[in-house]
Amino acid sequence: MYKYDQYDQAMVDTRVEEFRDQVKRRLEGKISEDQFKPLRLMNGLYLQLHAYMLRVAIPYGTLNSAQMHALADIADKYDRGYGHFTTRQNIQYNWIKLEEAPDLLADLAKVEMHAIQTSGNCIRNISSDQYAGATADEIIDPRPYAELLRQWSSFHPEFSFLPRKFKICVIASDTDRAAMKLHDIGIQIVKNDAGEIGARFYVGGGMGRTPMIAPMIRDFVPLDQLVTYSEACLRVYNRYGRRDNKYKARIKILVHELGAEEYTRQVEEEFAHLLDQGVEPPLAELERIKTFFPNPPYDKDASDEIDRSDPDFAVWVDRNTAPHKQAGYAIANISLKPIGGIPGDASTAQMHLMAELAKDYSFDECRVTHAQNIVLPDVKKSDLYTLWQKLDEAGLGTPNLDQIDDIIACPGLDYCSLANARSIPLAQRISERYANNGKSDVLGELKLKISGCINACGHHHAGHIGILGVDRKGVENYQLLLGGSEGADTSLGKITGRGFDEDGVIDAIEKVTDLYLDQKEDGERFLDTYRRIGMEPFKEAIYE
Amino acid sequence: MSDILRFREDETVDHASVTVDAFLEQTNSNAVRIEPGDDARALLQHLDQIKLVEVNFPVFGDGRGYSAARVLREAGYDGEIRAVGDVLVDQIGFMRRCGFDSFEPEKAFDEADAKAAFERWPEVYQPTTDGRTPIWAKRHG
Ligand code: SF4
């Protein structure tokens, strides 16, 4: 994976010192909270309901074991012994003291990590496919391109006060595991007919209160123009994105209001101008970055056989592993969704263990997924059984990837100052309900996502089943959505009808899944059945 | 004028600037003031005659002025570009990179803080018209 050179390290170290100075000026009363707010936000520090929350960037979700160990140490030293992995492939700590934040950032910098641009109206941490580099279905590893864009977007002098936050995702496979089209810019690395690699740009997707699927605005940007084209997309947005209304300020609204065609025309015009401005790094820089992402030294003779004699292990293999490009290897998913647990939470001990396992079994690398799980990308099949035993012992072996209890949930009213309703306890109760009724396994793939308010951090629009917390006359209320999806067949969920209280929404979900089990035809997933029979029968089942 | 922090040797324009609309109607002024909603490109045909462009920041969070400054510099404008209004010390490093070369903040900067802000960053990732060498260029000689 990418390693900092003296330049990258200097940038991160400088940021730590700058922030230390800003905190000092704040504590001395030289700057007001209003003035301090955008500064701390650019360092990922939010003031939440009970304390400061710090969000640490995990670029394109990739970590080595030293970094995972450091994240665990930070949880111990500055928080209450756990961290929370987020839908943006980052980690958050919920109990941070302002005075200690600069030291925490200094600890991060020691392992080439930071919290730069993890919040604020700037270009955020770039996300990618959690199976990058390991999966058989990609044309190339997308992470070097993400790293190129990480450096371009870090401390960008023109784009640090955008109308709103800005999220970029880079993938390189037709199977979209990263909800690419629901980003402000989604980039798919593709190969054209001449066999050249380039970038396909989708601009103006997003969730929030006005969810939109990004339209494609350019099907092929040559690799030596990738930064320039991104710069053009951003400049048009910075100049013309709405600033009169926070809820209309994302680029999706600009693209929607102008129309994709007119937005594209403006981008192309800006792009033509910028091509002469020399903003593009030479291809040699991309080549340099690529050298940090070689194939690990796979054992070419590794056996493709898996001993499935332990039935519990066999279930885990079926559910939580994915095919690898290298014979004899598999991609292993560690579920952070134990029955009744808090989605995405990991304790200090669990983080240390995952770090060790990454080192021992996956060439020192692990990944964070937008579904709030962890991936070990390169595990020898013959090691899977030992790996699973160690995971299971630590409560990390739950075999429920992409099942109804593999819930995505935002922090909700337990932590978040914007929340209308709690997400975490609801997720815990749904997980318990399906553990007790035993239906999780028969339901198969069913993605359930919960957001505590319209901001949609829990991606409820993209859930096969989505839940949205709303405030009804001061009482927590939940709306139910069906039919969302985030993959190549991205679709947005539709609201079933009037909302429910907590018990009510859990009962409604069970009615929905019962109807599916009753109606499903051969091999249909929940989503397929829903698309075939439509909303009506589900409505009847819920509200009859 | 004492509260203007300036990085130029030439003489300051000593009269008030006019709005973009007024400038375009009666083009004998040499000082223009850009508001966030104005299109800096409207000035490009008249750059020869302009000596001062003030870019107003009514609120610091409105970042359109950063693009305005770069658009002017990329078009070859070498007169003064002044950031006025809600200009905070933590932004002036970025502003300088975008082409601003004078600052007239509503609230004066602490001198030491301003100095630190300009000197803090030893390296930059992006090339702009300020002439600093980006990290990638240093890497590849
Ligand atoms: S969706 Fe709303 S409640 Fe949940 S984390 Fe985001 S802002 Fe907070």
Side-chain angles (χ1 to χ4, degrees):
Chain A
M1 59 183 264
Y2 188 70
K3 264 205 80 48
Y4 284 6
D5 63 4
Q6 83 264 26
Y7 299 114
D8 299 307
Q9 190 66 49
M11 295 302 277
V12 169
D13 290 344
T14 306
R15 172 59 118 198
V16 174
E17 286 322 304
E18 182 187 48
F19 190 59
R20 199 180 284 288
D21 177 54
Q22 290 165 344
V23 169
K24 185 167 144 273
R25 281 188 282 139
R26 173 72 194 112
L27 294 173
E28 285 169 354
K30 270 186 164 178
I31 44 178
S32 67
E33 171 55 24
D34 263 5
Q35 291 170 335
F36 181 59
K37 190 175 165 195
L39 306 177
R40 64 169 164 76
L41 284 181
M42 292 247 188
N43 279 291
L45 197 62
Y46 288 80
L47 190 54
Q48 292 292 45
L49 285 177
H50 315 290
Y52 281 98
M53 179 272 274
L54 183 84
R55 182 180 297 148
V56 174
I58 301 175
Y60 31 90
T62 297
L63 285 168
N64 63 25
S65 64
Q67 292 173 325
M68 186 64 114
H69 279 304
L71 293 178
D73 289 338
I74 285 169
D76 245 0
K77 194 166 156 192
Y78 303 99
D79 198 315
R80 299 182 175 177
Y82 56 91
H84 179 75
F85 290 97
T86 78
T87 54
R88 290 274 307 146
Q89 301 177 291
N90 293 321
I91 185 169
Q92 291 176 183
Y93 298 103
N94 285 313
W95 303 95
I96 299 302
K97 296 192 188 75
L98 179 59
E99 317 74 274
E100 293 182 350
D103 289 337
L104 192 168
L105 295 183
D107 286 356
L108 282 175
K110 283 180 205 145
V111 289
E112 303 183 7
M113 294 187 82
H114 59 75
I116 295 159
Q117 291 168 216
T118 54
S119 51
N121 293 335
C122 51
I123 304 171
R124 302 288 188 86
N125 185 35
I126 292 170
S127 52
S128 185
D129 183 348
Q130 69 268 20
Y131 292 172
T135 178
D137 63 14
E138 74 187 2
I139 64 157
I140 198 166
D141 188 337
R143 292 172 300 164
Y145 310 95
E147 174 60 27
L148 188 77
L149 293 174
R150 180 190 78 81
Q151 297 186 25
W152 159 75
S153 61
S154 295
F155 312 107
H156 198 293
E158 184 179 344
F159 305 134
S160 291
F161 294 91
L162 296 168
R164 239 5 216 115
K165 57 187 168 186
F166 203 92
K167 300 175 179 178
I168 300 177
C169 175
V170 186
I171 65 171
S173 114
D174 280 333
T175 313
D176 176 10
R177 284 169 286 262
M180 178 271 288
K181 288 181 197 164
L182 297 173
H183 285 72
D184 296 283
I185 294 183
I187 295 174
Q188 184 180 354
I189 304 295
V190 293
K191 211 180 245 174
N192 67 9
D193 293 341
E196 299 153 339
I197 305 282
R200 180 175 292 166
F201 271 67
Y202 294 84
V203 181
M207 295 197 234
R209 67 182 62 204
T210 323
M212 290 196 190
I213 298 167
M216 184 181 78
I217 69 156
R218 179 71 110 90
D219 66 352
F220 193 85
V221 175
L223 287 183
D224 57 356
Q225 300 176 344
L226 184 57
V227 163
T228 311
Y229 202 80
S230 306
E231 184 128 339
C233 291
L234 262 297
R235 180 173 286 175
V236 172
Y237 171 55
N238 191 43
R239 298 184 80 206
Y240 299 112
R242 286 180 62 172
R243 295 179 188 256
D244 58 326
N245 179 342
K246 174 175 167 196
Y247 300 113
K248 302 202 169 194
R250 294 289 289 271
I251 195 174
K252 63 191 172 188
I253 304 292
L254 177 69
V255 173
H256 184 71
E257 287 182 354
L258 286 178
E261 210 172 300
E262 172 59 16
Y263 172 76
T264 308
R265 191 192 62 75
Q266 296 188 17
V267 169
E268 293 290 336
E269 204 175 288
E270 194 65 57
F271 176 58
H273 159 75
L274 285 169
L275 279 175
D276 296 329
Q277 293 296 324
V279 297
E280 190 79 33
L283 275 179
E285 175 60 6
L286 191 55
E287 292 307 318
R288 184 191 74 90
I289 293 172
K290 276 189 187 164
T291 62
F292 293 101
F293 297 90
N295 272 333
Y298 296 122
D299 172 1
K300 299 269 178 336
D301 305 320
S303 158
D304 227 12
E305 296 301 311
I306 297 175
D307 178 356
R308 302 169 55 96
S309 47
D310 181 332
D312 289 341
F313 168 64
V315 168
W316 180 81
V317 168
D318 290 339
R319 304 250 172 82
N320 283 40
T321 66
H324 199 283
K325 66 179 179 186
Q326 175 67 41
Y329 285 78
I331 299 170
N333 284 275
I334 303 175
S335 168
L336 297 183
K337 317 290 175 62
I339 291 159
I342 297 178
D345 265 19
S347 68
T348 301
Q350 287 177 327
M351 284 190 262
H352 280 308
L353 176 72
M354 290 190 286
E356 275 160 36
L357 297 176
K359 190 166 179 84
D360 294 346
Y361 299 108
S362 187
F363 299 99
D364 202 30
E365 206 175 294
C366 54
R367 314 276 176 82
V368 182
T369 82
H370 85 280
Q372 301 177 286
N373 292 316
I374 303 292
V375 164
L376 299 182
D378 300 292
V379 183
K380 223 188 236 189
K381 285 186 175 166
S382 56
D383 286 336
L384 281 172
Y385 189 62
T386 323
L387 173 72
W388 170 75
Q389 285 177 311
K390 292 183 179 180
L391 287 171
D392 205 38
E393 222 170 86
L396 293 168
T398 317
N400 61 354
L401 191 77
D402 292 341
Q403 296 194 166
I404 193 166
D405 45 339
D406 181 10
I407 298 169
I408 291 184
C410 78
L413 201 51
D414 291 281
Y415 296 102
C416 177
S417 53
L418 301 172
N420 289 321
R422 288 170 300 168
S423 309
I424 292 170
L426 180 60
Q428 292 172 300
R429 285 191 57 198
I430 294 170
S431 160
E432 276 159 5
R433 167 79 65 106
Y434 279 85
N436 292 336
N437 68 18
K439 290 175 189 164
S440 171
D441 294 349
V442 283
L443 286 169
E445 182 188 310
L446 203 169
K447 298 186 184 181
L448 191 147
K449 311 191 182 205
I450 309 174
S451 303
C453 81
I454 195 87
N455 286 320
C457 304
H459 299 182
H460 65 274
H461 301 294
H464 299 170
I465 296 179
I467 301 172
L468 166 64
V470 292
D471 177 277
R472 224 187 55 174
K473 302 188 186 106
V475 181
E476 288 170 70
N477 192 267
Y478 297 95
Q479 290 183 340
L480 190 62
L481 295 86
L482 302 178
S485 166
E486 65 201 347
D489 58 348
T490 304
S491 58
L492 301 168
K494 288 204 177 61
I495 295 174
T496 54
R498 77 184 140 73
F500 311 87
D501 63 9
E502 191 174 306
D503 290 331
V505 77
I506 299 173
D507 290 339
I509 290 167
E510 196 164 357
K511 287 180 187 151
V512 165
T513 57
D514 282 349
L515 182 74
Y516 156 66
L517 291 177
D518 184 57
Q519 295 284 319
K520 82 176 206 180
E521 293 178 356
D522 294 346
E524 271 185 345
R525 303 168 301 162
F526 170 81
L527 186 65
D528 304 323
T529 304
Y530 171 84
R531 284 176 175 167
R532 179 172 54 80
I533 68 176
M535 175 67 97
E536 269 323 300
F538 288 99
K539 261 190 173 164
E540 273 166 37
I542 300 167
Y543 296 109
E544 75 194 2
Chain B
M1 302 296 272
S2 59
D3 282 347
I4 299 177
L5 181 62
R6 201 158 177 272
F7 293 84
R8 298 180 67 90
E9 301 295 317
D10 58 352
E11 268 195 23
T12 321
V13 173
D14 59 0
H15 54 264
S17 54
V18 300
T19 65
V20 171
D21 284 346
F23 176 84
L24 293 175
E25 275 161 29
Q26 41 111 34
T27 43
N28 56 7
S29 176
N30 63 1
V32 196
R33 182 182 175 98
I34 294 185
E35 297 297 331
D38 290 335
D39 182 1
R41 291 212 160 97
L43 302 177
L44 295 191
Q45 287 160 348
H46 312 282
L47 292 182
D48 288 350
Q49 124 193 21
I50 301 174
K51 291 220 155 49
L52 170 68
V53 177
E54 290 183 334
V55 179
N56 187 28
F57 290 85
V59 287
F60 69 80
D62 189 331
R64 283 176 281 188
Y66 294 83
S67 289
R70 278 192 86 192
V71 163
L72 292 172
R73 290 294 183 221
E74 287 169 4
Y77 173 68
D78 62 1
E80 180 168 345
I81 305 183
R82 183 182 299 167
V84 303
D86 193 14
V87 177
L88 307 179
V89 75
D90 290 285
Q91 303 180 308
I92 55 182
F94 284 152
M95 288 182 168
R96 195 92 174 84
R97 298 227 59 222
C98 288
F100 289 93
D101 52 8
S102 72
F103 303 89
E104 189 178 0
E106 254 157 34
K107 270 197 231 108
F109 306 139
D110 178 309
E111 215 173 297
D113 290 343
K115 192 164 178 295
F118 287 122
E119 287 172 2
R120 172 159 279 126
W121 295 91
E123 307 293 347
V124 296
Y125 278 121
Q126 311 81 2
T128 65
T129 50
D130 70 351
R132 295 187 67 179
T133 308
I135 288 170
W136 52 254
K138 294 188 176 181
R139 282 179 179 142
H140 300 282

